[in-house]
Amino acid sequence: MKYNILVCDDEKDIVSAIEIYLKAEGYEVFPAYDGQEALDIMEKEDIHLVIMDLMMPNMDGITAILKIREHANIPIIILSAKAEVTDKIIGLNVGADDYITKPFNAIELIARVNSGIRRYTSLGSAGISDEIYRAGRITIDDKSKEVLVDGESVLLTPHEYKILLLFVKNPGRVFSSDEIYEQVWEEAAHDVKKVISVHISHIRDKVEINPRKPDLIKSIYGMGYKLEENH
């Protein structure tokens, strides 16, 4: 299968360079130069992954990502000149899955795209099972990748899905931020507490009755997170 990648950046030279790298890997590339153009392309094409700049005219990347997340859970990689942690967290907060700063290394970019596509299409082949997992209000059909909370379907990003599945398959077990990152991102963890915290917050917004007082996904001070067995 040929995968379609949407690349959105107002710097045309950067879009062209990324297009060359991705096409060499066999991807189909759809270029866009502002957020609105990216949304227009997504309405017409079956896009499997988005690479999105943050600072753009007409519609910025943050606004575009928020709109994409209203109806799609495809992987989104932020590409931005801003390297500060706060900007990375903002990007993750609005629904991005990964973050690369300019100037970027082409090999790293390709590796992250390949990883994003692999997670999206398989959600971790090593963990795939035909079984249905249940924990309290949550039901996960790991074959169809459907998540139900109190019988209602919820839309999770690939990372959110894998984190929740990890908890549901291991109720009561405490996972540190590093353990969660290494199992879900499938790479070594380095200073990932804030990244995991943002994803946990997103999951709670979708599965908890009151995200501010979670009764399912509990924080264990100084240790990590666990899914409460009695719910």
Side-chain angles (χ1 to χ4, degrees):
M1 179 177 177
K2 198 164 193 175
Y3 295 107
N4 299 330
I5 312 294
L6 172 62
V7 181
C8 185
D9 194 307
D10 61 327
E11 297 183 58
K12 292 189 176 183
D13 289 347
I14 289 179
V15 174
S16 297
I18 294 175
E19 185 173 9
I20 291 170
Y21 300 141
L22 293 178
K23 282 188 172 180
E25 292 293 312
Y27 292 112
E28 185 72 27
V29 178
F30 293 84
Y33 305 103
D34 65 60
Q36 185 57 59
E37 191 174 354
L39 294 178
D40 291 343
I41 290 172
M42 289 201 64
E43 287 185 3
K44 302 172 185 176
E45 306 292 341
D46 186 15
I47 301 298
H48 301 103
L49 181 143
V50 174
I51 299 174
M52 179 76 70
D53 186 30
L54 289 182
M55 304 301 292
M56 295 181 293
N58 300 324
M59 181 187 290
D60 61 35
I62 296 296
T63 303
I65 291 170
L66 284 168
K67 290 183 176 295
I68 291 171
R69 280 290 178 247
E70 290 177 1
H71 57 81
N73 69 339
I74 60 174
I76 299 175
I77 299 174
I78 289 177
L79 181 66
S80 174
K82 294 186 175 182
E84 291 83 358
V85 171
T86 52
D87 295 304
K88 182 175 182 178
I89 297 303
I90 289 172
L92 293 170
N93 263 322
V94 299
D97 299 283
D98 210 342
Y99 191 101
I100 296 178
T101 55
K102 304 175 192 174
F104 58 88
N105 178 287
I107 295 175
E108 179 187 3
L109 177 68
I110 294 299
R112 290 185 181 274
V113 168
N114 290 342
S115 180
I117 289 290
R118 185 172 62 250
R119 282 194 295 267
Y120 178 62
T121 55
S122 71
L123 289 171
S125 58
I128 286 180
S129 167
D130 290 346
E131 295 184 43
I132 293 177
Y133 298 92
R134 293 185 177 88
R137 300 188 301 275
I138 301 172
T139 301
I140 299 179
D141 185 334
D142 197 31
K143 185 175 182 180
S144 65
K145 309 305 176 190
E146 183 178 23
V147 178
L148 301 177
V149 179
D150 288 329
E152 297 292 325
S153 180
V154 297
L155 186 66
L156 301 179
T157 68
H159 285 138
E160 291 166 4
Y161 177 90
K162 286 196 71 175
I163 292 171
L164 186 60
L165 181 63
L166 181 66
F167 287 147
V168 170
K169 290 172 72 173
N170 299 276
R173 176 180 167 183
V174 178
F175 289 92
S176 69
S177 294
D178 284 359
E179 287 175 321
I180 295 170
Y181 188 89
E182 287 171 358
Q183 292 210 36
V184 171
W185 275 258
E186 299 174 15
E187 60 187 39
H190 300 288
D191 191 25
V192 299
K193 285 187 178 180
K194 288 184 177 180
V195 172
I196 297 302
S197 175
V198 168
H199 282 79
I200 294 294
S201 177
H202 287 170
I203 296 170
R204 283 172 170 163
D205 286 341
K206 298 174 181 179
V207 306
E208 298 283 2
I209 295 173
N210 181 355
R212 294 187 177 183
K213 295 181 179 179
D215 67 332
L216 286 170
I217 301 175
K218 297 284 192 176
S219 298
I220 309 301
Y221 183 75
M223 299 177 66
Y225 305 92
K226 73 171 182 176
L227 184 75
E228 191 64 56
E229 290 184 275
N230 297 326
H231 290 274

